[in-house]
């Protein structure tokens, strides 16, 4: 059995104490931090899902203004919110609506006014020359409004509303899966301007597209390389055994900071039941995942504050038999990508996931 311990790092002007999850972390930080007041060393870690390296570099987190503060306020904030009740005429007609017994809507899905994908054409690539290829960006782009409440994000909803939100997402992805011209449907949530949000009222976006994006093909490659076992099931089992990066777990779902975290306080939410497609999940799997996302977001808020973040669902492409195991990435936006990250595609993470998990785990609400 591994026992809880402390590791202290000397800093100019004082001493910073980090609470760590087990004795094994002592060895990790012995590698990451030199004795005394020396700068932390960097470490390369491989993301087995994508095959890409990430850099864990604690020293860069000591730079002044290393972390972004969330900017509040949106352009046009004084205008009527098109997602609030009473302003339904400001959006296109709803694709789907979930109501209470009084007929008042609880969740609405509407077409995006500024879609990235539109139309029902099949994917047809035109070769315009030796280096010029194009295809119509057909597909769908929808906005799923969490609730009538203008300020209630995922972390603030009551549990029945979280459950309804997850069912609504599953229903829309299921509808996309019946369109023969769509290969994949991406579910995202952007919170805060730093994370790409243009509207304050909490909502998700669903983008149905006629091709499989590179991030998904890379993850499919990771599952294929682990053939004979599921890389996601093995990761959950390994993380629970180690105990260093676990944030929350129950009988249906596990939340942890990946060993290969590419951004500070990154988390993954993984249903225990092996299911390739999000839209094929049972109610138990679905609702447990939705509530675990809420638990993770509450923990993040308690540990780091009101920051911007992205939620990204990854599921197997439609009509694609595979070893995929659907999961959710929770990506806080407290640092920004600079020239190195953009030029190499290699993330620089200034907060080790072991330390991030220790903060998140301590703060994780129970009950």
């Amino acid at each position: 059995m591994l026992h809880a311990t402390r590791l202290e790092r000397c800093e100019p002007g004082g001493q910073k104490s980090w609470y760590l999850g087990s004795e094994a972390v002592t060895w990790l930080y012995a590698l990451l931090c030199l004795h005394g007041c020396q700068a932390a060393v960097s470490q390369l870690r491989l993301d087995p899902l994508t095959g890409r390296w990430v850099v864990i570099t604690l020293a860069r987190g000591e730079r002044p203004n290393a972390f972004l503060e969330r900017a509040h306020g949106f352009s046009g904030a004084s205008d009527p919110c098109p997602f609030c009740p009473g302003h339904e005429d400001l959006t296109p007609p709803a694709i789907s609506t979930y109501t209470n017994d009084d007929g008042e809507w609880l969740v609405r899905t509407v077409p995006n006014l500024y879609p990235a994908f539109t139309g029902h054409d099949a994917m047809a690539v035109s070769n315009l020359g030796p280096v010029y290829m194009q295809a119509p960006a057909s597909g769908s782009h929808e906005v799923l409004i969490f609730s009538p409440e203008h300020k209630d994000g995922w972390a603030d909803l009551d549990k029945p509303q979280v459950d309804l939100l997850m069912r609504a997402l599953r229903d829309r992805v299921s509808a996309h899966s019946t369109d023969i011209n769509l290969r994949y449907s991406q579910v995202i949530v952007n919170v805060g301007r730093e994370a790409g949000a243009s509207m304050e009222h909490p909502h998700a976006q669903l983008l149905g597209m006629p091709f499989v994006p590179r991030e998904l093909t890379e993850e499919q490659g990771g599952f294929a390389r682990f053939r004979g076992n599921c890389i996601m099931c093995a990761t959950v089992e390994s993380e629970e055994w180690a105990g260093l990066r676990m944030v929350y777990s129950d009988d249906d779902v596990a939340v942890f900071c990946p060993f290969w975290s590419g951004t500070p306080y990154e988390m993954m939410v993984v249903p225990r039941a092996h299911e390739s497609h999000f839209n094929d999940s049972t109610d138990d799997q679905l609702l447990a995942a939705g509530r675990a996302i809420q638990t993770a977001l509450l923990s993040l808020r308690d540990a780091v504050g009101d920051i911007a973040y992205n939620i990204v669902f990854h599921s197997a492409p439609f009509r694609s038999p595979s070893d995929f195991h659907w999961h959710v990435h929770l990506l806080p936006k407290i640092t920004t990508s600079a020239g190195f990250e953009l030029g190499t595609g290699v993330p620089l993470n200034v907060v080790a996931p072991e330390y991030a998990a220790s903060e998140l785990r301590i703060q994780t609400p129970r009950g």
Side-chain angles (χ1 to χ4, degrees):
M1 177 67 69
L2 300 175
H3 301 285
T5 186
R6 278 184 181 270
L7 179 66
E8 295 179 341
R9 187 184 66 175
C10 182
E11 295 181 343
Q15 193 173 68
K16 182 176 180 180
S17 177
W18 289 340
Y19 179 85
L20 304 174
S22 72
E23 288 177 348
V25 184
T26 302
W27 300 105
L28 172 68
Y29 277 91
L31 293 173
L32 292 178
C33 302
L34 300 178
H35 181 69
C37 295
Q38 301 298 315
V41 297
S42 298
Q43 189 178 78
L44 287 171
R45 298 187 182 184
L46 182 68
D47 178 349
L49 281 175
T50 63
R52 290 177 289 189
W53 290 98
V54 302
V55 182
I56 309 295
T57 172
L58 302 187
R60 293 183 64 79
E62 302 299 329
R63 296 170 301 155
N65 304 318
F67 299 115
L68 296 172
E69 294 184 4
R70 178 175 170 182
H72 291 274
F74 289 80
S75 60
S78 60
D79 298 333
C81 172
F83 296 165
C84 282
H87 300 153
E88 289 82 3
D89 60 320
L90 298 179
T91 69
I95 299 169
S96 65
T97 304
Y98 300 80
T99 62
N100 60 20
D101 292 339
D102 296 326
E104 299 167 328
W105 68 264
L106 299 174
V107 173
R108 292 181 78 227
T109 305
V110 299
N112 195 308
L113 274 176
Y114 309 100
F117 300 93
T118 185
H120 301 283
D121 295 334
M123 179 86 169
V125 177
S126 300
N127 190 335
L128 306 181
V131 293
Y132 305 114
M133 300 181 72
Q134 70 178 27
S138 57
S140 65
H141 191 168
E142 302 168 2
V143 175
L144 191 146
I145 305 165
F146 283 7
S147 81
E149 298 299 324
H150 185 78
K151 295 285 189 180
D152 284 359
W154 201 306
D156 308 300
L157 301 173
D158 60 30
K159 285 183 170 52
Q161 189 70 18
V162 172
D163 296 347
L164 181 61
L165 168 59
M166 288 295 285
R167 287 190 174 101
L169 288 172
R170 181 180 60 183
D171 290 349
R172 291 311 307 152
V173 175
S174 293
H176 290 187
S177 71
T178 64
D179 188 332
I180 194 65
N181 291 324
L182 297 183
R183 292 290 312 283
Y184 183 70
S185 186
Q186 179 62 68
V187 178
I188 59 171
V189 178
N190 302 330
V191 175
R193 286 163 52 189
E194 298 80 2
S198 59
M199 297 288 295
E200 184 176 36
H201 196 127
H203 61 281
Q205 297 183 60
L206 299 97
L207 297 94
M209 59 196 76
F211 65 99
V212 180
R214 186 181 70 176
E215 190 76 13
L216 260 293
T217 60
E218 289 181 348
E219 286 200 0
Q220 285 182 295
F223 281 96
R225 288 189 293 271
F226 218 72
R227 192 171 300 280
N229 193 2
C230 169
I231 190 172
M232 199 58 66
C233 293
T235 298
V236 170
E237 182 178 352
S238 299
E239 291 295 351
E240 291 196 305
W241 179 86
L244 308 181
R245 290 167 292 273
M246 290 300 299
V247 175
Y248 171 84
S249 65
D250 58 33
D251 292 340
D252 298 302
V253 69
V255 182
F256 55 90
C257 296
F259 175 78
W260 56 87
S261 295
T263 191
Y265 299 93
E266 176 181 345
M267 287 180 272
M268 291 183 70
V269 179
V270 181
R272 293 186 185 277
H274 183 92
E275 178 58 66
S276 297
H277 296 90
F278 166 70
N279 51 299
D280 289 336
S281 298
T282 67
D283 278 355
D284 287 345
Q285 299 163 14
L286 190 79
L287 305 188
R291 295 183 182 192
I293 293 170
Q294 183 176 59
T295 295
L297 291 174
L298 287 168
S299 177
L300 184 67
R301 180 188 292 173
D302 288 343
V304 187
D306 183 22
I307 60 170
Y309 58 85
N310 301 102
I311 302 173
V312 178
F313 286 65
H314 277 172
S315 175
F318 300 141
R319 299 171 295 279
S320 172
S322 71
D323 300 321
F324 206 89
H325 186 146
W326 80 267
H327 54 276
V328 181
H329 297 269
L330 203 166
L331 304 166
K333 300 291 287 188
I334 60 175
T335 57
T336 186
S337 296
F340 174 80
E341 294 93 328
L342 297 174
T344 64
V346 177
L348 289 173
N349 184 359
V350 299
V351 178
E354 293 77 16
Y355 175 61
S358 73
E359 284 202 315
L360 295 164
R361 185 166 54 248
I362 294 168
Q363 300 292 338
T364 298
R366 305 287 182 179

